[in-house]
Amino acid sequence: MRDEFDTHLQELRRGTVVLACLRLLQTVGYGYGLLKDLEGRGFDTDANTLYPLLRRLEKQGYLTSEWNTEEARPRKFYRTSADGIRLADTLHREWLALTDAIASLADDTYTDEEH
């Protein structure tokens, strides 16, 4: 994609990563594993975006967390809370409505003469 569109593409993707995290973390996961899972599913994000997002969602009550210190390297595991599941459901419904709205724009026959 052209560099001139990068900012707009980043803005479009930002909200989708929130929804993806809330859905994926309905099964317990940790930051690096989540990052790899997101990448594997086509969500282009990086650690500098993901970790602050996880902390923010936890602070807002949409994720819960717990440290696992049993392994050589301690990891903070996250899980979507009940409020997070409700938020994910709401965001998903809104995403579907927006998808329909955008599709309806593509269905319109647009010509320069009409506008």
Side-chain angles (χ1 to χ4, degrees):
M1 195 60 49
R2 298 187 336 211
D3 290 341
E4 66 188 274
F5 296 153
D6 284 351
T7 300
H8 299 288
L9 291 171
Q10 184 179 21
E11 289 176 17
L12 181 63
R13 291 182 187 126
R14 188 170 288 131
T16 63
V17 172
V18 171
L19 177 54
C21 287
L22 291 171
R23 287 291 191 215
L24 290 171
L25 290 172
Q26 288 182 15
T27 301
V28 175
Y30 63 97
Y32 183 75
L34 178 61
L35 185 63
K36 291 299 167 192
D37 201 2
L38 288 166
E39 288 174 1
R41 293 170 181 262
F43 291 92
D44 184 27
T45 191
D46 60 38
N48 292 329
T49 300
L50 181 62
Y51 289 106
L53 171 64
L54 293 174
R55 286 191 297 273
R56 180 172 58 85
L57 290 173
E58 181 183 18
K59 184 176 181 181
Q60 293 171 333
Y62 300 122
L63 295 177
T64 60
S65 70
E66 186 174 305
W67 281 97
N68 179 341
T69 57
E70 295 174 9
E71 297 182 25
R73 184 174 184 179
R75 289 185 175 148
K76 190 174 189 180
F77 282 82
Y78 294 91
R79 179 178 210 115
T80 305
S81 68
D83 285 343
I85 291 170
R86 284 192 293 279
L87 174 59
D89 291 344
T90 300
L91 292 174
H92 187 237
R93 282 191 303 274
E94 185 65 17
W95 178 262
L96 294 175
L98 288 170
T99 299
D100 288 343
I102 295 294
S104 77
L105 295 174
D107 293 341
D108 290 346
T109 52
Y110 177 84
T111 64
D112 289 332
E113 296 168 3
E114 293 175 352
H115 297 278

